[in-house]
Amino acid sequence: MTIRKKLLLAALTLVSMVRAQDVTPELSGMETDAQTWTSSVRMGWNLGNSFESAGGEWDDNSGTWENIWMANRNEWETAWGNPKTTKAMLQAVKDAGFDAVRVPVRWRAHVLNEQTLQIDPTWLNRVQQVVDWCLELDMKVVLNTHHELWLEYHPVFSRQTDINNALTTLWKQIATRFRDYDSRLAFAGVNEVQINWKQPTAENNSVMNSYNQTFVDAVRSTGGRNYYRNLIVQTYSCNAYYGLSGLELPTDVVEGRISVEFHYYNPYNYCSGQAGSYYYWGNAFKDKGQIAPDTEAALQSLFRQIRRTWYEKGYGVVLGEFGVSCHYTESDKATQLENMQYYMKCVVSEARKNGIAAFAWDNNSFGNGSEKYGIFDRNNNMLVRTPFLLNGIKEGSLAEFEEIESGNEEYEGTVFWEGESELSWGDGLQLHIPASSFADFTTNGKLVISFTQMASASYDDLQFCMGNDWSKCPFSVDGTDFNGDFVPRSVYGTNNESYTIACSFDESTLSKLRTYGLYLQGYGLKLTKVLLSPSGATGVQLPIAHSTSSSAIYDLSGRRTNGNARIYIKNGRKILNNK
């Protein structure tokens, strides 16, 4: 292409981007909101290691590509060893039961001019062709920006303005190209923004949140159906725990069209398949060998909290990537493959129950060890080489969305302690509950603990033990396996609100508590109430987060609401809505 033609194309692109802002919003074909979109996905699949591949090495110091082995960047789709995607491949994905495809795409490596950032039309055409094939097969599509290392490696103030300007330019072009597509197509702003996978600082979170806002503003500005399109924003490094405490949802011109994305390869020392990884996961397999930490209850607890934090507040939720790298020992291979199937089933099942659209990561890599996430062999007529992974996804997809109460139950019993005392390890409250207090307890009983999180504290922790021996800590907290430490900030985030958790005990633990009693201590929390409920719950529901705000409104089942219901609860009073 001549320089003159390149300049002409760049000029036409810039003109079209300006005109795009004047396109009238169009609702037809865009009636599906974010929650409906995500909860309707039964089986999602990633077209991994294709359009985000690179035929060169990115030098982050110079901000350039080096050691380029594939000169034609429009062929980079195959740079990491995968063949070009065909409609027949996608048909095989559809036939296997998948109803949604996530298409990771690297864009800036395919611009014709670094000043204008005009995306090569040939690359745009090719991505569009694959999106069209998915939609012709009636599969939903997520289109994102992926492995944009110039962006993902630099969530810092010094780079924020330049990165957001570039992000705006790229997304206006992408959104304009796909503006007329219906609601089956969703956009996702970025991918795993991080610095060496470390916990984010306030600066990192602030910049990440700005990326999300920039993305939303850029897409909405193109008008047409993009004004109503479902848009997916990411937590920092796509880590759910970081998002629960650091994500600020972007403002939007329309309601109910934003989803939150996180990735789940937990526990990583099982899912990664790296040397030293566990070969078994879940209490269902604890008799087979040593199981990895974070079992079924941890999965359930996290997904419930994700639901409470985002879904029940009107947002969709997307599990953009999950999976377990195939790894096994020859001595117990069959059981370990069965275990991986069980893991996939549990993840997809919990996603379905909580309205989360889950997309399995498939990089077309097979074998035994790390990064072996392949399901379909794209080099061999889409042969399913890991049927245990596919079968687990299928089994989990049969689960349905569960209408569950949003919080803990109200309990009758004896108030053992009530007040407002800070937990600060040895300098704060250390509560001893004597053995006699558990004399009437059965496995239906609950130890109900209420506390307020102190956002000013650098961290928080709630710690229990039997007697005064801190090695004896087998409890269940709010349905989560518990080894003596419960970290509220990891589960609930930092918000200065109050929470109630209910601890249950199996018969083995109860027999020890009846002998040794229990000690409670912690840090970064204000303990407000401890109640002993030998008979368990009354059946009356309370919200898990009892907001300190006088404006907080709940429906009769305990969910936070906006007050549009006919009858609702505010400041402890039942109110009849006459609107």
Side-chain angles (χ1 to χ4, degrees):
M1 183 180 293
T2 65
I3 294 178
R4 182 177 180 182
K5 287 183 177 180
K6 287 182 179 180
L7 291 174
L8 178 60
L9 276 172
L12 290 173
T13 298
L14 291 173
V15 169
S16 67
M17 287 165 58
V18 172
R19 290 176 177 171
Q21 299 176 9
D22 300 324
V23 176
T24 302
E26 182 180 347
L27 182 58
S28 65
M30 305 302 292
E31 293 83 3
T32 303
D33 63 22
Q35 289 184 325
T36 302
W37 199 102
T38 64
S39 63
S40 67
V41 173
R42 285 192 174 274
M43 293 172 56
W45 180 76
N46 270 278
L47 181 60
N49 286 19
S50 286
F51 286 98
E52 80 276 27
S53 302
E57 298 176 359
W58 173 256
D59 186 335
D60 198 51
N61 292 323
S62 63
T64 59
W65 289 95
E66 296 185 350
N67 302 321
I68 296 175
W69 65 83
M70 190 174 286
N72 185 353
R73 298 194 184 191
N74 287 320
E75 297 297 322
W76 278 14
E77 177 186 353
T78 63
W80 288 353
N82 286 329
K84 283 193 172 182
T85 304
T86 66
K87 189 174 182 180
M89 291 179 184
L90 297 169
Q91 180 70 62
V93 173
K94 170 76 172 182
D95 292 345
F98 291 93
D99 56 358
V101 176
R102 180 173 178 255
V103 185
V105 182
R106 195 190 302 254
W107 298 96
R108 190 164 180 173
H110 300 274
V111 300
L112 296 176
N113 184 297
E114 268 295 325
Q115 280 66 53
T116 64
L117 296 183
Q118 182 205 352
I119 301 171
D120 189 333
T122 302
W123 186 249
L124 265 170
N125 291 341
R126 174 59 180 152
V127 174
Q128 184 175 11
Q129 181 181 44
V130 171
V131 170
D132 287 345
W133 286 338
C134 292
L135 296 177
E136 287 170 10
L137 294 169
D138 199 25
M139 292 191 288
K140 292 183 176 65
V141 179
V142 173
L143 189 63
N144 81 345
T145 61
H146 204 94
H147 287 331
E148 302 286 5
L149 306 183
W150 55 274
L151 177 154
E152 294 177 12
Y153 284 1
H154 302 285
V156 293
F157 290 142
S158 62
R159 302 284 289 269
Q160 182 177 11
T161 299
D162 289 343
I163 289 175
N164 276 320
N165 287 340
L167 192 62
T168 295
T169 302
L170 292 173
W171 265 113
K172 282 188 176 182
Q173 293 177 73
I174 301 164
T176 299
R177 171 60 72 101
F178 292 95
R179 179 171 49 209
D180 295 333
Y181 284 61
D182 63 31
S183 63
R184 291 175 297 170
L185 174 62
F187 297 151
V190 295
N191 189 47
E192 295 172 342
V193 175
Q194 48 79 29
I195 299 178
N196 297 322
W197 302 105
K198 293 181 179 179
Q199 183 171 341
T201 64
E203 176 182 8
N204 299 152
N205 277 325
S206 177
V207 176
M208 177 67 217
N209 290 328
S210 78
Y211 292 168
N212 286 331
Q213 187 66 64
T214 292
F215 158 66
V216 171
D217 292 344
V219 174
R220 296 292 184 234
S221 73
T222 62
R225 285 176 166 172
N226 285 337
Y227 191 87
Y228 297 100
R229 189 167 307 283
N230 286 310
L231 303 181
I232 304 167
V233 299
Q234 290 67 40
T235 66
Y236 185 87
S237 78
C238 285
N239 181 306
Y241 293 104
Y242 294 160
L244 290 170
S245 60
L247 176 65
E248 293 182 6
L249 275 300
T251 58
D252 199 4
V253 293
V254 291
E255 292 184 1
R257 302 305 171 96
I258 296 290
S259 295
V260 177
E261 178 182 355
F262 71 102
H263 297 171
Y264 191 81
Y265 295 98
N266 295 17
Y268 193 70
N269 52 9
Y270 169 77
C271 293
S272 67
Q274 295 176 348
S277 293
Y278 290 85
Y279 291 101
Y280 305 96
W281 173 86
N283 284 321
F285 283 77
K286 63 183 179 181
D287 62 329
K288 305 299 182 182
Q290 186 176 10
I291 61 173
D294 297 337
T295 60
E296 298 96 332
L299 166 67
Q300 295 163 5
S301 179
L302 175 62
F303 279 35
R304 278 201 306 271
Q305 184 55 27
I306 287 171
R307 173 173 175 163
R308 290 165 181 155
T309 303
W310 295 315
Y311 190 91
E312 292 187 1
K313 294 180 182 177
Y315 300 99
V317 183
V318 174
L319 172 49
E321 295 179 20
F322 72 95
V324 54
S325 182
C326 181
H327 62 294
Y328 53 84
T329 62
E330 292 296 340
S331 61
D332 199 19
K333 179 178 177 179
T335 303
Q336 290 157 4
L337 299 188
E338 180 186 354
N339 184 241
M340 286 182 270
Q341 177 169 329
Y342 176 71
Y343 174 85
M344 299 294 273
K345 171 188 175 181
C346 289
V347 172
V348 177
S349 177
E350 287 305 313
R352 289 284 305 148
K353 291 175 183 177
N354 291 286
I356 301 171
F359 291 78
W361 182 250
D362 184 345
N363 60 358
N364 195 36
S365 180
F366 303 94
N368 180 9
S370 179
E371 292 296 322
K372 307 300 182 183
Y373 292 99
I375 300 174
F376 299 96
D377 189 341
R378 299 178 219 168
N379 295 301
N380 189 17
N381 297 317
M382 297 297 280
L383 174 70
V384 178
R385 290 182 56 185
T386 51
F388 49 93
L389 298 180
L390 177 59
N391 290 337
I393 295 169
K394 286 183 175 181
E395 290 169 0
S397 73
L398 299 178
E400 298 292 345
F401 181 79
E402 289 186 351
E403 294 289 350
I404 61 173
E405 296 299 339
S406 174
N408 291 320
E409 297 165 309
E410 183 175 297
Y411 296 91
E412 292 181 344
T414 302
V415 176
F416 179 80
W417 183 93
E418 190 168 17
E420 188 172 303
S421 291
E422 183 176 341
L423 302 182
S424 186
W425 299 129
D427 296 327
L429 175 67
Q430 293 180 307
L431 195 65
H432 175 222
I433 304 177
S436 58
S437 298
F438 298 98
D440 298 328
F441 261 60
T442 68
T443 54
N444 292 325
K446 301 284 185 179
L447 172 65
V448 185
I449 303 171
S450 300
F451 57 87
T452 298
Q453 187 183 67
M454 298 169 61
S456 59
S458 58
Y459 70 96
D460 53 34
D461 195 359
L462 189 62
Q463 192 177 76
F464 307 119
C465 80
M466 285 184 286
N468 201 20
D469 182 352
W470 293 99
S471 68
K472 298 176 179 177
C473 309
F475 296 102
S476 173
V477 174
D478 194 23
T480 302
D481 284 353
F482 183 60
N483 64 359
D485 290 291
F486 175 67
V487 184
R489 189 162 302 188
S490 295
V491 180
Y492 301 117
T494 305
N495 51 25
N496 268 336
E497 288 196 343
S498 298
Y499 298 94
T500 296
I501 58 173
C503 311
S504 60
F505 317 105
D506 58 26
E507 186 56 45
S508 174
T509 301
L510 277 174
S511 65
K512 297 173 184 176
L513 289 176
R514 296 183 191 115
T515 302
Y516 301 110
L518 178 144
Y519 279 80
L520 182 154
Q521 66 176 4
Y523 184 84
L525 306 168
K526 287 185 178 179
L527 195 67
T528 55
K529 188 175 181 178
V530 176
L531 182 141
L532 297 166
S533 178
S535 59
T538 64
V540 180
Q541 300 292 320
L542 289 177
I544 190 165
H546 307 281
S547 175
T548 55
S549 169
S550 61
S551 62
I553 298 173
Y554 302 94
D555 64 22
L556 295 185
S557 65
R559 295 185 179 90
R560 287 288 294 270
T561 181
N562 57 10
N564 289 330
R566 179 64 174 166
I567 301 174
Y568 60 88
I569 304 296
K570 183 177 181 181
N571 291 328
R573 297 181 179 180
K574 183 168 70 174
I575 297 175
L576 179 64
N577 191 344
N578 292 316
K579 293 181 181 180

